[in-house]
């Protein structure tokens, strides 16, 4: 890991001076394909995996005199290697780490002491037991996979971990084959492996200046000893010093540095061999380490210490060594640990402390942050994910595209809206609730500036909100109904909209503008679909070069010169889409500007059979079928507000009009629409009811059915790929996918419906939401997994999209465990209702 003192930090305004200093350096210059700043687990793993891709010219810079210095974070890691994670798409990353660590010692000769003891997570109350049951129901694994999870009974806990007082637990989540490792030795092994692959390592390397040379397209790093490094790719894996490094090139990262307390416990007698033990409620972890226990925890909110003084002044050279141990912050966790593991009582406590960097949501920053400036930092679980993330990032750097769907770690996800207040407040909450997987609707730092002009009104009208990339997204509306359960609320919203009409705030949708002389050329090259004509709106696809779905989107434009297009995307994906489009434009040297306009361009959607009547009351424009056909757009005035009105039923299956307008005028437009709709029974509705509508007519969405890990043809949207176009990104790979015949060993995307028992129909805990495992009735083998689900009002039962093995017959009786029930499922040949054409 690297350090840059505050006096040497330069912002973008100092780049001219920095360039002069760099040019005046006269000592050795190194030219490499990739320069990695920081040799902790994150940095050494990237270097190691780059060499595995046959990239030899890799330079790994370490600020200290050797790797895994006690001033950094890796030295202090408890060495837990866990394969369980609340985001299931993250699990392949963790699985690769375990596969790598299991063979790394033999490969490098470095003893890393990887012990695949497994991990047990204790459930001491019904809430935690239900959480673990839900996790097991979603754990998709097959024969040969490295790890799997099971739910243990108290007796099984006693058998596996005798040290635990099983009378105090209701059960436990057990993960096989993960376990513990020496983080220091792991770092050394990765460095040895990287060197064996051709990488160079320089210890005591402290960067003095960093700048980008636009003419030559590479980064220049000037070290304090006068050495210059020019590199095509710069990877910031600086750990607690990552933000200091970023500032050298004029960047600031959305990370905080947080203190962490832990201890080596020496019990009265040598502990028995046991899996690593985690308690989600008191947030402690403990694992055997020789004759001792290594114990730590995540302090409660009021005791969590974030070093904002280090953010302002720079991280001191001593780093973690400067932190004083204060085991009293873990008093509650330790007391709880002694209750659950009596042998810890009276143990000798050797209290220790360290610091590490983290992001507000607990996921690391991984991927491109600027022109070939890559991030791999902000890890709360650097040992568990370091191996897999290193491969993920190395593959992205070499191949030019992300190898898997992992949008949670997007390095630019806080751009345009995050501020230090949000970073510190949310990080403190995330840290203190690190093991709390159930409570996802976290409130710290909310709302941000990403609220629509009607946020206050919707909140007053009973809206409950979810949080998506800074935006407050109305999920459902209580409407003042006393003690109404969640599912009846959604059914009421759905029925009001589909029988009359409703309005939904979609201002949170990502919006990208592409404009300039070569705008149409870029669209043709970056989008695999036909580009809509003037006054039309259509669905489009961006593909990776390997033919995966980078992102579906809606596209429209209102410029007769075809020099300005609007692309509607998802908020979590807008930064990645922006990077992809700009990179495509640079590759073809196109004269075009690509920018995100989500903060300025808002939208409301009017949906339902009465929506045309509401629209007619607000405008003199012709909104009939003849005057305003499906999949077209019009610039019209609705009461006091000018809008671009798009008629499209693609996502709702209902008569729908989406109203794009200036964000400053959202309140005026909303009040006009609600006033005109009063006599037509207009209501507010949210994202959950919208999900019910799109599922019943078989509409697939990104992040659920459509991801980087899928292709258009297996998803049933191959018609969106226009092979009449001679060139677009991913064309050759897409063409290969289009020619593939049915493969019994592959999979298919299907709609399934459930036969529910009497009395559970209106209970939302028995409605699938995604990732639930599918089996054939009477068999234990996993043959599929649900991508998304909802309650279907017309069928009066749940419905879901799912990936199912092609070996499974269409008439097979399937079973899915949801909550504490096993539900029977069957495939649907067609959606329950067709969309309006």
């Amino acid at each position: 890991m690297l350090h840059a003192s505050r006096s040497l930090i330069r912002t973008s305004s100092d780049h001219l001076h920095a360039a002069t200093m760099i040019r005046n350096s006269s000592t050795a210059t190194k030219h490499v394909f990739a320069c990695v700043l920081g040799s902790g687990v994150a940095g050494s793993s990237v270097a190691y995996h780059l060499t595995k891709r046959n990239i030899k010219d890799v330079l790994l810079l370490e600020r200290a005199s050797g790797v895994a210095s006690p001033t950094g974070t890796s030295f202090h890691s408890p060495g837990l290697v866990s394969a369980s994670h609340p985001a299931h798409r993250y699990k392949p990353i963790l699985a690769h780490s375990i596969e790598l660590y299991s063979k790394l010692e033999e490969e490098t000769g470095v003893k890393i002491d990887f012990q695949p003891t497994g991990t047990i997570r204790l459930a001491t109350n019904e809430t935690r037991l239900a959480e673990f049951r839900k996790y097991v129901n979603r754990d998709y694994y097959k024969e040969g996979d490295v790890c799997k999870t099971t739910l243990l009974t108290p007796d099984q806990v006693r058998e596996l971990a005798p040290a635990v007082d099983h009378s105090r637990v209701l059960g436990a989540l057990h993960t096989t084959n993960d376990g513990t490792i020496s983080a220091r030795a792991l770092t050394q092994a990765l460095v040895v492996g990287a060197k064996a692959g051709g990488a160079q390592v320089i210890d005591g390397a402290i960067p003095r200046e960093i700048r980008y040379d636009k003419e030559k397209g590479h980064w220049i790093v000037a070290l304090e000893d006068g050495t210059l490094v020019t590199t095509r790719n710069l990877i910031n894996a600086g750990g607690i010093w990552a933000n200091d490094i970023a500032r050298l090139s004029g960047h600031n990262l959305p990370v905080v540095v947080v203190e962490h307390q832990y201890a080596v416990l020496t019990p009265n007698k040598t502990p028995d061999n046991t899996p690593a033990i985690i308690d989600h409620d008191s947030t402690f972890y403990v694992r055997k380490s020789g004759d001792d226990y290594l114990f730590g925890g995540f302090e409660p909110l009021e005791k969590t210490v974030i070093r904002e003084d280090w953010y302002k002044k720079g991280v001191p050279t001593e780093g973690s060594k400067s932190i004083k141990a204060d085991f009293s912050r873990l008093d509650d966790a330790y007391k709880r640990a002694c209750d659950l593991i009596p042998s810890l009582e009276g143990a000798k406590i050797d209290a220790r402390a360290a610091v590490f960097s983290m992001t507000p949501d607990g996921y690391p920053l991984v991927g491109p942050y600027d022109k070939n400036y890559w991030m791999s930092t902000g890890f709360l679980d650097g040992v568990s994910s370091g191996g897999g993330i290193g491969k993920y990032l190395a593959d992205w750097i070499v191949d030019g595209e992300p190898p898997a769907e992992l949008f949670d770690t997007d390095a630019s996800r806080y751009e345009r809206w995050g501020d230090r207040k949000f970073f510190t407040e949310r990080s403190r909450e995330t840290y203190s609730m690190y093991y709390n997987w159930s409570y996802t609707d976290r409130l710290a730092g909310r709302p941000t500036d990403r609220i629509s002009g009607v946020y206050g009104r919707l909140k007053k009208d009973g809206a409950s909100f979810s949080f998506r990339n800074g935006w407050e997204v109305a999920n459902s509306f209580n409407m003042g109904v006393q003690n109404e359960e969640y599912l009846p609320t959604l059914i009421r919203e759905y029925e009001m909209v589909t029988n009359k009409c409703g309005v939904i705030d979609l201002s949170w949708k990502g919006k990208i503008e592409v404009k300039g002389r070569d705008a149409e050329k870029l669209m043709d090259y970056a989008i695999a679909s036909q580009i809509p004509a003037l006054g039309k709106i259509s669905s489009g696809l961006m593909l990776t070069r390997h033919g995966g779905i980078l992102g579906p989107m809606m596209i429209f434009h209102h410029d007769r010169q075809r020099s300005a297009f609007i692309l509607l995307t998802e908020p979590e994906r807008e930064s990645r889409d922006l990077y992809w489009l700009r990179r495509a434009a640079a590759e073809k040297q196109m004269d075009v500007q690509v920018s995100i306009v989500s903060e300025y361009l808002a939208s409301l959607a009017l949906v339902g059979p009465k929506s045309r009547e509401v629209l007619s009351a607000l405008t003199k424009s012709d909104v009939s079928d003849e005057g305003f056909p499906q999949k077209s757009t019009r610039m019209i005035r609705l009461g006091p507000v000018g809008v671009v009105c798009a008629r499209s039923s693609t996502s709702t299956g209902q008569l729908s009009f989406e109203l794009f307008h200036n964000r400053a005028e959202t309140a005026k437009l909303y009040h006009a629409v609600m006033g005109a709709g009063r006599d037509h029974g207009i209501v507010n509705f949210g994202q959950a009811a919208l999900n019910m509508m799109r599922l019943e007519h078989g509409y697939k969405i990104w992040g659920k059915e459509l991801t980087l890990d899928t292709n258009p043809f297996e998803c049933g949207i191959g018609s969106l790929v226009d092979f009449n176009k001679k060139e677009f990104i991913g064309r050759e790979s897409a063409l290969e996918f289009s020619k593939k015949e049915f493969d019994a060993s592959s999979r298919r995307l299907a709609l399934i419906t459930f036969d529910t028992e009497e009395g559970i129909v209106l209970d939302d805990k028995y409605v699938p939401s995604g990732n639930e495992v599918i089996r054939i009735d009477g068999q234990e083998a996993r043959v599929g997994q649900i991508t998304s689900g909802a309650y279907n009002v017309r069928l009066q039962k749940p419905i879901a999209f799912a990936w199912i093995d092609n070996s499974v017959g269409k008439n097979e009786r399937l079973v899915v465990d949801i909550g504490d029930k096993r539900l029977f499922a069957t495939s649907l040949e067609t959606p329950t209702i067709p969309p309006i054409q």
Side-chain angles (χ1 to χ4, degrees):
M1 297 183 182
L2 300 164
H3 168 63
S5 64
R6 188 169 182 241
S7 62
L8 291 174
I9 291 172
R10 299 289 185 269
T11 63
S12 54
S13 62
D14 298 315
H15 279 175
L16 180 61
H17 176 58
T20 301
M21 292 180 68
I22 289 174
R23 282 195 297 267
N24 287 341
S25 299
S26 57
T27 55
T29 300
K30 295 181 178 292
H31 306 279
V32 293
F33 173 81
C35 176
V36 185
L37 303 175
S39 67
V41 172
S44 58
S45 179
V46 175
Y48 171 87
H49 284 95
L50 282 170
T51 64
K52 292 299 182 182
R53 290 298 306 271
N54 205 33
I55 303 296
K56 306 295 185 183
D57 50 340
V58 176
L59 181 63
L60 183 62
L61 302 182
E62 165 57 36
R63 67 171 300 276
S65 57
V67 299
S69 163
T71 61
T73 299
S74 296
F75 178 92
H76 300 273
S77 170
L80 297 177
V81 184
S82 176
S84 297
H85 196 280
H88 284 250
R89 61 185 157 271
Y90 207 75
K91 288 174 59 181
I93 295 292
L94 305 176
H96 176 78
S97 292
I98 292 166
E99 288 180 358
L100 172 65
Y101 301 164
S102 65
K103 64 184 181 183
L104 194 60
E105 184 171 314
E106 181 179 353
E107 177 189 337
T108 64
V110 178
K111 184 175 178 56
I112 61 176
D113 196 29
F114 176 56
Q115 302 290 330
T117 57
T119 303
I120 61 171
R121 299 168 185 267
L122 305 177
T124 58
N125 55 59
E126 290 293 343
T127 299
R128 201 64 60 210
L129 188 64
E131 173 183 272
F132 292 160
R133 184 181 295 114
K134 183 177 182 180
Y135 187 94
V136 170
N137 291 346
R138 295 176 169 196
D139 189 17
Y140 186 82
Y141 59 83
K142 291 194 172 186
E143 185 178 351
D145 286 357
V146 177
C147 300
K148 65 178 182 178
T149 57
T150 53
L151 195 62
L152 303 179
T153 65
D155 286 341
Q156 289 172 320
V157 171
R158 176 177 57 184
E159 184 178 339
L160 193 63
V164 175
D165 182 353
H166 74 287
S167 68
R168 293 179 176 269
V169 301
L170 302 180
L173 182 70
H174 177 221
T175 310
T176 61
N177 292 328
D178 62 7
T180 63
I181 199 170
S182 166
R184 286 170 247 177
L186 170 62
T187 307
Q188 292 163 358
L190 289 168
V191 170
V192 168
K195 285 182 176 179
Q200 302 175 64
V201 180
I202 301 179
D203 293 336
I206 300 177
R208 174 169 53 85
E209 306 286 350
I210 299 174
R211 74 174 180 91
Y212 184 70
D213 188 324
K214 291 182 179 179
E215 293 182 4
K216 296 182 179 179
H218 62 213
W219 289 91
I220 302 175
V221 181
L223 303 182
E224 285 193 345
D225 66 359
T227 301
L228 287 183
V229 178
T230 65
T231 179
R232 170 68 175 168
N233 296 282
L234 185 66
I235 299 107
N236 185 341
I240 58 176
W241 289 279
N243 196 53
D244 289 349
I245 293 170
R247 282 174 167 166
L248 293 172
S249 54
H251 301 91
N252 271 293
L253 304 183
V255 295
V256 302
V257 174
V258 61
E259 293 186 4
H260 184 69
Q261 303 293 323
Y262 69 103
V264 174
L265 305 179
T266 304
N268 295 323
K269 65 175 184 176
T270 301
D272 297 325
N273 290 330
T274 184
I277 300 170
I278 295 172
D279 180 49
H280 279 219
D281 287 294
S282 60
T283 70
F284 77 74
Y285 58 82
V286 62
R287 63 104 157 175
K288 186 174 180 292
S289 177
D291 293 337
D292 301 319
Y293 284 116
L294 192 60
F295 174 89
F298 294 84
E299 299 96 304
L301 195 70
E302 67 277 6
K303 293 183 178 180
T304 299
V305 176
I306 291 177
R307 300 303 302 262
E308 278 299 274
D309 56 328
W310 287 10
Y311 167 76
K312 296 173 183 176
K313 299 177 182 178
V315 177
T317 303
E318 297 80 9
S320 286
K321 288 180 68 176
S322 66
I323 303 300
K324 293 182 180 179
D326 183 2
F327 197 69
S328 66
R329 295 187 202 166
L330 296 179
D331 279 350
D332 292 341
Y334 181 59
K335 181 179 179 182
R336 181 60 174 164
C338 291
D339 289 341
L340 293 170
I341 310 171
S343 60
L344 295 181
E345 187 75 46
K348 178 184 176 183
I349 300 172
D350 179 8
R352 302 179 183 184
V355 289
F356 52 77
S357 67
M358 64 173 290
T359 66
D361 58 15
Y363 287 94
L365 302 178
V366 182
Y369 198 66
D370 202 340
K371 307 175 191 69
N372 294 324
Y373 188 122
W374 305 84
M375 301 301 307
S376 187
T377 194
F379 290 86
L380 271 174
D381 61 345
V383 171
S384 291
S385 58
I389 287 292
K391 181 179 187 305
Y392 170 85
L393 186 57
D395 288 345
W396 193 345
I397 292 170
V398 174
D399 296 332
E401 60 188 42
E405 189 63 84
L406 208 61
F407 60 85
D408 316 74
T409 65
D410 186 338
S412 300
R413 63 189 181 273
Y414 296 104
E415 280 191 12
R416 295 171 299 280
W417 62 273
D419 57 22
R420 289 309 298 180
K421 181 176 182 293
F422 176 82
F423 298 156
T424 54
E425 289 183 9
R426 177 55 69 90
S427 296
R428 183 174 282 108
E429 180 186 58
T430 297
Y431 176 85
S432 66
M433 302 179 71
Y434 181 61
Y435 287 131
N436 192 329
W437 293 354
S438 297
Y439 182 57
T440 56
D441 186 27
R442 299 180 179 177
L443 302 178
R446 294 172 57 184
T448 69
D449 290 339
R450 280 192 154 183
I451 55 174
S452 81
V454 291
Y455 168 74
R457 171 63 188 269
L458 299 183
K459 188 175 182 180
K460 183 179 178 182
D461 286 347
S464 64
F465 294 90
S466 57
F467 190 70
R468 296 188 61 179
N469 203 40
W471 287 101
E472 296 292 333
V473 180
N475 195 54
S476 63
F477 290 81
N478 180 267
M479 295 292 287
V481 180
Q482 292 292 325
N483 300 318
E484 185 177 47
E485 296 292 332
Y486 180 62
L487 191 52
T489 293
L490 299 188
I491 292 172
R492 174 177 46 76
E493 278 184 32
Y494 169 90
E495 290 178 334
M496 290 295 291
V497 175
T498 56
N499 289 307
K500 295 182 179 180
C501 63
V503 64
I504 182 171
D505 180 11
L506 296 176
S507 299
W508 49 270
K509 284 280 190 179
K511 305 169 192 75
I512 296 176
E513 183 180 48
V514 177
K515 65 179 181 180
R517 186 181 65 187
D518 293 332
E520 187 175 7
K521 289 182 181 179
L522 175 60
M523 296 294 290
D524 264 328
Y525 177 61
I527 308 294
S529 315
Q530 186 178 12
I531 307 305
L534 178 67
K536 296 292 183 181
I537 184 169
S538 66
S539 299
L541 283 178
M542 285 200 301
L543 303 180
T544 67
R545 286 172 172 79
H546 289 95
I549 298 175
L550 186 74
M553 53 187 54
M554 298 297 291
I555 306 166
F556 69 90
H557 77 107
H558 265 279
D559 178 11
R560 293 187 182 278
Q561 283 71 46
R562 293 177 73 77
S563 62
F565 294 82
I566 296 293
L567 285 64
L568 306 178
T569 180
E570 299 298 324
E572 298 87 354
R573 210 183 70 220
E574 61 182 5
S575 291
R576 187 176 76 184
D577 289 352
L578 180 73
Y579 173 82
W580 186 262
L581 289 164
R582 285 179 172 173
R583 182 164 179 159
E587 176 192 338
K588 294 292 186 178
Q589 298 182 326
M590 294 179 181
D591 181 8
V592 66
Q593 296 82 50
V594 185
S595 56
I596 291 175
V597 294
S598 307
E599 318 301 327
Y600 318 108
L601 185 63
S603 70
L604 301 174
L606 186 58
V607 180
K610 299 287 186 180
S611 56
R612 180 182 281 116
E613 296 172 45
V614 176
L615 209 61
S616 297
L618 290 169
T619 184
K620 295 179 180 179
S621 300
D622 183 1
V623 294
S624 66
D625 273 332
E626 296 76 18
F628 199 166
Q630 180 72 292
K631 296 185 179 179
S632 61
T633 62
R634 298 287 185 271
M635 296 186 71
I636 63 177
R637 193 162 195 84
L638 296 180
V641 180
V643 306
V644 174
C645 183
R647 182 185 168 190
S648 175
S649 302
T650 303
S651 62
T652 65
Q654 306 288 323
L655 180 64
S656 305
F657 300 91
E658 190 164 357
L659 316 173
F660 297 95
H661 59 279
N662 189 310
R663 184 179 174 190
E665 297 187 302
T666 300
K668 286 193 291 185
L669 178 61
Y670 174 83
H671 290 303
V673 170
M674 293 300 283
R678 191 171 295 115
D679 294 339
H680 301 285
I682 196 169
V683 295
N684 290 305
F685 73 102
Q687 184 177 220
L690 181 64
N691 187 53
M692 296 169 76
M693 294 177 204
R694 68 97 184 172
L695 271 165
E696 72 177 359
H697 76 273
Y699 181 69
K700 300 144 188 149
I701 61 173
W702 174 81
K704 300 294 185 179
E705 293 74 46
L706 313 177
T707 71
L708 272 169
D709 308 313
T710 64
N711 71 73
F713 301 94
E714 64 178 345
C715 292
I717 57 172
S719 60
L720 292 179
V721 180
D722 182 11
F723 288 117
N724 292 320
K725 296 166 63 172
K726 293 182 179 181
E727 183 185 23
F728 58 81
I729 296 174
R731 189 181 190 280
E732 290 184 7
S733 297
L735 192 58
E736 288 299 314
F737 282 128
S738 72
K739 296 175 181 178
K740 280 193 174 181
E741 301 291 334
F742 176 85
D743 181 358
S745 66
S746 188
R747 61 182 185 170
R748 66 181 184 271
L749 187 59
L751 270 174
I752 61 174
T753 187
F754 297 82
D755 298 322
T756 54
E757 298 176 10
E758 190 71 27
I760 69 170
V761 173
L762 291 181
D763 194 331
D764 67 282
K765 72 180 179 180
Y766 300 116
V767 176
S769 57
N771 294 313
E772 292 87 355
V773 169
I774 299 171
R775 299 176 176 88
I776 296 174
D777 187 19
Q779 301 180 24
E780 276 304 303
R782 287 150 165 77
V783 297
Q785 191 167 29
I786 289 171
T787 58
S788 62
Y791 184 78
N792 188 290
V793 178
R794 296 172 189 268
L795 296 177
Q796 296 188 18
K797 59 180 66 176
I799 189 173
F801 267 121
W803 286 108
I804 300 176
D805 291 354
N806 277 335
S807 59
V808 178
K810 292 185 178 180
N811 296 321
E812 290 275 14
R813 194 181 195 205
L814 308 172
V815 294
V816 180
D817 293 327
I818 303 177
D820 57 356
K821 301 287 184 180
R822 173 160 286 192
L823 305 185
F824 295 100
T826 53
S827 296
L828 278 174
E829 290 298 323
T830 59
T832 52
I833 64 166
I836 291 176
Q837 299 299 320

